[in-house]
Structures are given as C-alpha cells and as structure tokens.
Amino acid sequence: MGNGGGTHIAFEHVTKSYDGTTQVVKDLCLEIERGEFLTLLGPSGSGKTTCLMMLAGFETISSGNISIDGQAVHTIVPHKRGIGMVFQNYALFPHLSVGRNLSFPLEVRGISSSERADRVKKALELVQLEGFEDRKPANLSGGQQQRVAIARALVFEPEIVLMDEPLGALDRRLREEMQYEIRRIHQQLGVTMVYVTHDQQEAMVLSDRVAVFRDGSIEQIAPPETLYEEPNRVFVSSFIGDNNVLYGKVEEIRPGDLCNVAVGSEDHVQALIIEDTQPGDSVWVAVRPERVAIAREEKQYSNQFEAIVKDIVFMGDHLRLNLETCGQRDFIVKIPNIVGHGAVLPGDRIQIGWAALDCRALPMDKEKEN
C-alpha cells in the first residue's frame, strides 16, 4: 500500500452539512498514505464526492480538520494546495489546443515558456498522446479527451491527484482501457491518488485500498481482496460483487469460530462468525455465488441443500443459475462454462453446497431489515 512514506492526508472528525441539520459526511476519520491509491466507493449521495471536494478546497468543512503533511488546509486556497484534479466532464477549454490546455496551469504558476513546453511534452508522453499538441478537444475522442484532462492534472507535477468519476462518460470498453491506463500512470509516478466512483469493478482494478461509503460514513476500508473475501457488513458484502444474503438466527456456537444459523423454514447453515455472536442473535448469512457448487454426492458439503432451478442465463465464461432454496426465490449460483453444463436445465431439482468457511454470519443491518 502506497510507498511507505507515512501519512500524507488526514481527515480528523470531519463533518459536512449544507443546511446545518443533515450531515452528508459524519465524523470522518481517515488517513491516506503517501503514494497510495485510495478509492472512495459508494452509491450516489453517500458523501464520497463531498469528501473529495473538501480536500480540494471547493467545499468548506463544517467541523473537524483536513491536513496534508500535517498542515491544516482550511486556510489554504485551492490552487495553492498542490492538488491536480480530474473531473467526469473533462473541463477542457474548447477554444484552446491540447498544448494550450496543458500549458495554462503552468502559466498560472509563473513557469517559464521553455519549461512549460518541456512539461507539456512529458505529460503527453505519459498519457500516450505525443504529437497531439495542436489539436482541439472537439477533434478528439472521449477517451483522448480524458487522457488530456489527466495530463493537465499532472503537468504541474502535483503530489496529490484527485479524480471524481473520471470515466463515467465513457463507454464500457474505453472505461476498462482507461482503468488500466490510470493504474499504469499511478505506478509510474507514485503520486497519492484519491479516486471517487460508484463502480465496484473500477475500484477493484485501481486501488491499494477502498473505502466503502454509506450515508456519510465509511462502512469498511481495506484492500480490494479483503473487501471481497472478508466483508464485515452486509452492505459491503452486497455492494462489492454479487452475494447471496440469507436472514437467520444463531442456534449454536461451534468450535473454530463457526455457528449454526437457522434460515428459511427448516434449513440450517454453518457459517463463520464475524463479530461476537450469541445463540438467539439475528444475523445475515452471506455466500458468494461462485463459492456455491452443484453437489454430485450426498453430504459432499457441510452446507448442502436441495434447490429448484428457476432460470439459467448465459454470461459467456460462466452460467448464472437463479435458484429457489433455503426459503429464498432468487439464490444465485455461478458455474463455469465448461463441457457438461447443459446437464442442468430450468425446472430441475438439484443439490447445491458450499463450505462453512465460505459463508459469513454478519451482524444485522437494521436499515436493510426494514
């Protein structure tokens, strides 16, 4: 994570309210390492963009403190914070050439014309747009315009780069290409990047860590693999990838941090305990669709149930089975697209199963319950 350079940016008990009553950011404490790529991930209205705007200086803090290298930034005007910014809509000057768009932030900072030309050339090389200096934004594709916007954010060599949904206007293929371009640029430069998106795949591809936002607070912050494999809240388990979530009550605590959970009308699931749990507690049991297999033998898995195949959707590299099981009518299983998958058809009764360690007994989320 990062370059091991210590804390670069710190949010200390930061709150933000626009009307003095409703907090869109709630008591946020967050440390970002120097050289780290941190993504703020969450649905619309979760507070992630507001956090970015407060760091950039485009929004004021209601309370708390944001610091860069230990220095509070609330008294520093945005253009003196040493921060590069990339927006979803590119925000390029349409009447200026690519070269002039990149040169403008250097002129504002009083950099000489010879050094400006050198920096513009290097920035365009970095985003693989050498030779585009004289083109106007209108003559570029969406992906090229976004590369120019990234180059402009980097041309004055900031230590921090903020990106607010920068790929949201691109089609899927271009978006995926640009994800890997941004990842390459970050690895090459080693600057601190803070990135806002609602796209969980984008967050997984790019980030050293991901902070999952909900209602102005961070639900969980961790490396992408940890968020996917070890979510500690049902919201995180469902927001990061697909998940089957079953409601149940703990009946028994077992050795090895396991518990038995009653789900549906008469089924029982063995699951890994995530927080201190006692018999009688209500929990959500979460299991990833790809961790569920079709059982070929009786008692092949510690969790094994009969299921009715409601629908099968061809997804290319895998098939998505919609099943009725464990009292749920939309239980999802993903099976590889390999020879023999046609043995499962809609209407079939099959046995499915998964290991106890592949499902997690998560604490109740009252909002989801209601």
Side-chain angles (χ1 to χ4, degrees), residues 59 67 77 142 198 202 206 251 268 343 354 364:
E59 292 284 358
S67 61
V77 294
H198 63 272
E202 203 163 279
L206 291 169
E251 289 194 330
H268 298 81
W354 63 88
M364 284 301 299

Side-chain angles (χ1 to χ4, degrees), residues 56-263:
F58 302 142
E59 292 284 358
T60 57
I61 303 167
S62 297
S63 65
N65 181 57
I66 299 176
S67 61
I68 297 175
D69 286 328
Q71 180 182 3
V73 299
H74 66 277
T75 59
I76 304 174
V77 294
H79 70 275
K80 292 189 176 180
R81 296 189 184 191
I83 293 174
M85 190 85 193
V86 183
F87 300 95
Q88 178 177 337
N89 63 359
Y90 317 139
L92 301 176
F93 297 117
H95 62 290
L96 298 181
S97 66
V98 167
R100 291 281 291 127
N101 265 281
L102 267 62
S103 182
F104 180 75
L106 301 176
E107 293 177 26
V108 171
R109 289 166 173 80
I111 294 173
S112 68
S113 59
S114 60
E115 187 175 350
R116 290 201 304 267
D118 183 56
R119 289 200 188 185
V120 168
K121 182 174 182 293
K122 288 180 180 178
L124 288 174
E125 288 174 352
L126 184 67
V127 297
Q128 300 178 350
L129 286 179
E130 303 97 320
F132 281 64
E133 290 91 334
D134 297 328
R135 296 198 190 184
K136 293 286 183 67
N139 297 323
L140 303 177
S141 68
Q144 290 170 335
Q145 289 184 57
Q146 194 55 283
R147 288 171 189 260
V148 174
I150 292 171
R152 186 180 59 184
L154 297 171
V155 71
F156 63 94
E157 300 176 357
E159 293 188 345
I160 298 169
V161 177
L162 310 183
M163 296 190 178
D164 184 20
E165 302 271 11
L167 309 183
L170 304 180
D171 64 37
R172 180 176 177 179
R173 182 184 62 81
L174 275 176
R175 199 162 63 237
E176 291 178 353
E177 287 181 6
M178 286 302 301
Q179 288 170 14
Y180 290 103
E181 280 298 296
I182 292 171
R183 181 182 174 95
R184 175 187 63 81
I185 290 167
H186 175 254
Q187 291 174 342
Q188 183 173 335
L189 296 180
V191 297
T192 303
M193 285 193 176
V194 185
Y195 191 99
V196 163
T197 185
H198 63 272
D199 186 323
Q200 56 93 9
Q201 178 185 337
E202 203 163 279
M204 300 281 278
V205 169
L206 291 169
S207 314
D208 295 315
R209 286 190 304 161
V210 179
V212 181
F213 273 71
R214 185 189 190 195
D215 296 333
S217 301
I218 294 177
E219 290 274 297
Q220 187 175 355
I221 180 168
E225 184 176 352
T226 301
L227 283 180
Y228 189 87
E229 300 290 355
E230 303 174 19
N232 59 20
R233 290 292 183 272
V234 70
F235 177 79
V236 176
S237 76
S238 298
F239 200 81
I240 305 288
D242 291 329
N243 229 326
N244 295 298
V245 181
L246 306 171
Y247 171 78
K249 288 188 179 293
V250 176
E251 289 194 330
E252 179 187 6
I253 306 299
R254 299 172 59 88
D257 293 326
L258 298 176
C259 62
N260 282 350
V261 181
V263 299

